[in-house]
Amino acid sequence: MTQESEKLLTNLYNAFDPFYPLPAGDPQYVDCREVRGDGDITVDLGTKIQRSQRMTCQLYTGHRGAGKSTELLRLEQHLQNKGCFVVYFAAEEEDIDPEDTEYTDILLACTKHLLKKLSSNSKSPALLNWVKSRGAELKDLAQMDVALDSITLESQITLFTKLTANIRAVPSLRQEIRQKINPHTTTLIAALNEYIADAKQHLPPGYTQLAVIVDNLDRIVPLIVAEGRNNHDEIFIDRCGQLKGLDCHVIYTLPISMMYSNRANELASNYDNTEILPMIMVQTPDGKIHKPGVNIIKELIRKRVSIFSPNLSLETGLFENREILNQICLMSGGHVRNMLQLMEEAIQRTEKLPISATAVQRAITKIRDPFRRTVDDRDWPILAKVSRSKEIKNEEECRKLLFNRCVLEYRYFDEAGEIQYWHDVHPLIKGIKQFKDSLAQVEP
């Protein structure tokens, strides 16, 4: 292999990084509204923030890896262009452990990021006074050596940064921090709101509103905490008053499984809006190829390839033939991250372009395997029924399969202009023997 060929493969491999959300304005971005039920985050969430005369609290959900972070970053830029100062953060990166998350973790993360982003805009002593009132306990939990009578703004930021870092990474301190902070969340919110109110009076020129976007909460793993209830209920239902309590516009991401629980009506009643980002529809409910959706997946691939090789044909230069390209598109199920994973794996198994059918099949087998290990034996018949009916039941087993992306959600408008939702088993699962055996036992 020539040095030039190796460099191209290396660049292509990194172009399909499945864990890199595109920043706003990135040339690789593709508008997928047409094949996602015509949803537009700048309208569905952004317009409510722009026009509401009170503070709003909205929820945004969808399958993990569907592209929510990319859309939220686009919304952040849109709002900033409209005069809204935005504090965006991905909670999983620094602040929470998705395997064990409680409301207090989220509140501390919001406090830290608001402090950091608004430090030059607010002179309110409210948070400082709150820290001093909890001083000795917080110092020990944050493992800091600082004199309370001389604590500075930088020290406050460091303190909350260390608290969230310990919550995320130090299980031995996590519960102790929660036990110390939980009884005082109401007073922390009050102090934070005083800080926010002062900051809103001193925003940079051109900004008239303030919004917080908390990403990656959709990754919080459901844990049963009582009969019929889990940690998702405790965070988004029991603590909804506090989640809504910040004196600014807020958007929280939400696990998609909650939208198909007996809490769905409470979510609709308690929050201003809940939007779902569905999959790119690459097949119709009756199993036919949906060409507009397949073409969008191809465009997602082309945009990444063209950065390094503008004239490379997808059908004869990147892949051996059109059928192999179509196979990648269909096996992704319209799930962006899975498409990126399939591409990354296929490129990894390629020494020289074009990518062969063998490399693609190996990639499919590799990305399929975690699904096989995720599904419990009792879930195969459920998946078979979903595959036949294109519907899911409001049951814990179905919610788990939604959360784990074994079942995907799609959306389209029918001829009457009514929105239609439907579900299907991830195409990667359909090649697994246990699924095929279960499907054969379900009547068409």
Side-chain angles (χ1 to χ4, degrees):
M1 186 190 329
T2 67
Q3 187 174 0
E4 185 176 345
S5 296
E6 175 61 28
K7 182 179 179 181
L8 176 58
L9 284 170
T10 298
N11 286 334
L12 291 177
Y13 178 85
N14 287 282
F16 289 95
D17 184 345
F19 299 102
Y20 173 69
L22 297 179
D26 193 290
Q28 298 173 88
Y29 179 79
V30 176
D31 186 348
C32 303
R33 283 178 291 177
E34 179 188 353
V35 290
R36 276 182 160 161
D38 204 32
D40 184 349
I41 194 170
T42 63
V43 175
D44 300 331
L45 299 181
T47 301
K48 186 174 286 290
I49 290 174
Q50 292 171 237
R51 294 181 177 172
S52 179
Q53 294 181 341
R54 60 173 178 79
M55 298 303 105
T56 62
C57 184
Q58 303 180 82
L59 302 176
Y60 189 52
T61 189
H63 295 284
R64 289 168 293 151
K68 292 187 302 301
S69 294
T70 293
E71 291 300 306
L72 287 169
L73 291 171
R74 191 166 72 89
L75 176 63
E76 176 190 21
Q77 183 64 61
H78 171 80
L79 290 173
Q80 302 229 112
N81 291 341
K82 296 292 185 178
C84 182
F85 191 92
V86 180
V87 178
Y88 166 93
F89 66 95
E92 187 193 25
E93 292 181 0
E94 300 177 354
D95 308 304
I96 68 167
D97 177 358
E99 300 286 337
D100 178 14
T101 302
E102 294 184 8
Y103 163 75
T104 302
D105 312 354
I106 299 168
L107 176 58
L108 288 173
C110 288
T111 304
K112 180 192 83 172
H113 288 280
L114 281 162
L115 263 174
K116 291 175 70 173
K117 195 74 179 282
L118 298 173
S119 60
S120 60
N121 307 105
S122 180
K123 305 303 178 186
S124 169
L127 275 173
L128 174 61
N129 293 335
W130 187 88
V131 168
K132 287 181 177 180
S133 70
R134 308 266 74 80
E137 295 174 341
L138 294 181
K139 281 174 53 181
D140 292 341
L141 294 172
Q143 300 175 324
M144 286 180 63
D145 183 17
V146 59
L148 292 179
D149 56 358
S150 62
I151 192 169
T152 63
L153 174 62
E154 289 72 21
S155 298
Q156 290 179 72
I157 294 173
T158 301
L159 184 145
F160 282 103
T161 299
K162 290 193 173 184
L163 285 175
T164 59
N166 287 343
I167 280 178
R168 184 180 186 276
V170 188
S172 60
L173 285 175
R174 184 178 300 148
Q175 197 57 35
E176 188 176 355
I177 292 172
R178 292 168 179 164
Q179 289 173 350
K180 297 294 185 182
I181 301 295
N182 257 330
H184 308 288
T185 54
T186 301
T187 58
L188 175 54
I189 291 173
L192 186 54
N193 279 338
E194 287 189 43
Y195 182 85
I196 289 171
D198 187 55
K200 288 196 293 187
Q201 298 300 314
H202 302 93
L203 292 174
Y207 292 102
T208 58
Q209 298 190 78
L210 174 65
V212 175
I213 299 176
V214 187
D215 198 0
N216 288 358
L217 300 183
D218 59 304
R219 303 181 185 184
I220 298 174
V221 175
L223 301 172
I224 300 299
V225 294
E227 185 175 352
R229 293 181 61 79
N230 61 25
N231 55 333
H232 293 172
D233 298 326
E234 288 195 344
I235 293 170
F236 293 99
I237 300 297
D238 298 348
R239 296 283 198 149
C240 73
Q242 290 178 304
L243 284 173
K244 295 163 56 180
L246 298 185
D247 188 23
C248 59
H249 298 286
V250 187
I251 296 171
Y252 299 102
T253 48
L254 173 82
I256 191 173
S257 49
M258 282 204 77
M259 295 302 296
Y260 291 90
S261 72
N262 55 7
R263 307 298 180 190
N265 192 49
E266 290 182 77
L267 291 173
S269 299
N270 291 334
Y271 294 92
D272 291 287
N273 184 26
T274 302
E275 289 294 328
I276 301 175
L277 180 69
M279 294 294 97
I280 295 169
M281 198 166 83
V282 293
Q283 286 186 303
T284 61
D286 59 2
K288 296 179 181 177
I289 294 176
H290 186 58
K291 289 184 179 180
V294 171
N295 288 338
I296 285 291
I297 297 291
K298 290 180 180 179
E299 182 66 6
L300 288 167
I301 295 172
R302 189 193 67 78
K303 284 282 187 84
R304 284 165 169 76
V305 171
S306 63
I307 291 177
F308 305 103
S309 185
N311 299 317
L312 185 66
S313 167
L314 297 188
E315 296 182 355
T316 58
L318 182 65
F319 293 95
E320 283 184 344
N321 53 55
R322 179 185 302 175
E323 287 69 28
I324 301 173
L325 170 60
N326 287 339
Q327 186 181 23
I328 285 274
C329 297
L330 293 172
M331 293 307 294
S332 73
H335 187 282
V336 176
R337 181 175 295 161
N338 286 158
M339 177 276 289
L340 296 172
Q341 289 175 317
L342 287 166
M343 287 297 303
E344 184 184 60
E345 187 67 27
I347 294 169
Q348 181 174 323
R349 296 176 180 279
T350 298
E351 294 186 359
K352 182 181 178 181
L353 293 178
I355 298 170
S356 67
T358 300
V360 169
Q361 186 56 52
R362 292 288 186 274
I364 290 170
T365 301
K366 176 72 176 292
I367 306 305
R368 170 184 286 148
D369 195 53
F371 287 99
R372 179 184 59 79
R373 290 183 277 112
T374 294
V375 179
D376 294 332
D377 288 343
R378 63 180 178 273
D379 292 332
W380 294 113
I382 298 173
L383 289 170
K385 290 178 182 178
V386 171
S387 181
R388 292 290 193 200
S389 69
K390 309 305 180 189
E391 297 176 351
I392 60 170
K393 293 184 177 181
N394 190 349
E395 296 175 348
E396 184 60 37
E397 291 81 4
C398 288
R399 289 192 286 275
K400 182 187 69 173
L401 294 169
L402 268 174
F403 183 83
N404 290 330
R405 291 157 295 157
C406 296
V407 173
L408 302 177
E409 177 168 308
Y410 301 89
R411 181 171 68 187
Y412 68 96
F413 283 91
D414 63 18
E415 293 180 356
E418 292 292 330
I419 194 165
Q420 300 294 332
Y421 292 91
W422 63 283
H423 298 84
D424 202 359
V425 176
H426 198 302
L428 288 169
I429 289 177
K430 293 182 179 182
I432 298 174
K433 181 181 183 300
Q434 291 95 319
F435 173 80
K436 292 179 180 179
D437 292 344
S438 294
L439 187 64
Q441 299 176 28
V442 177
E443 293 184 6

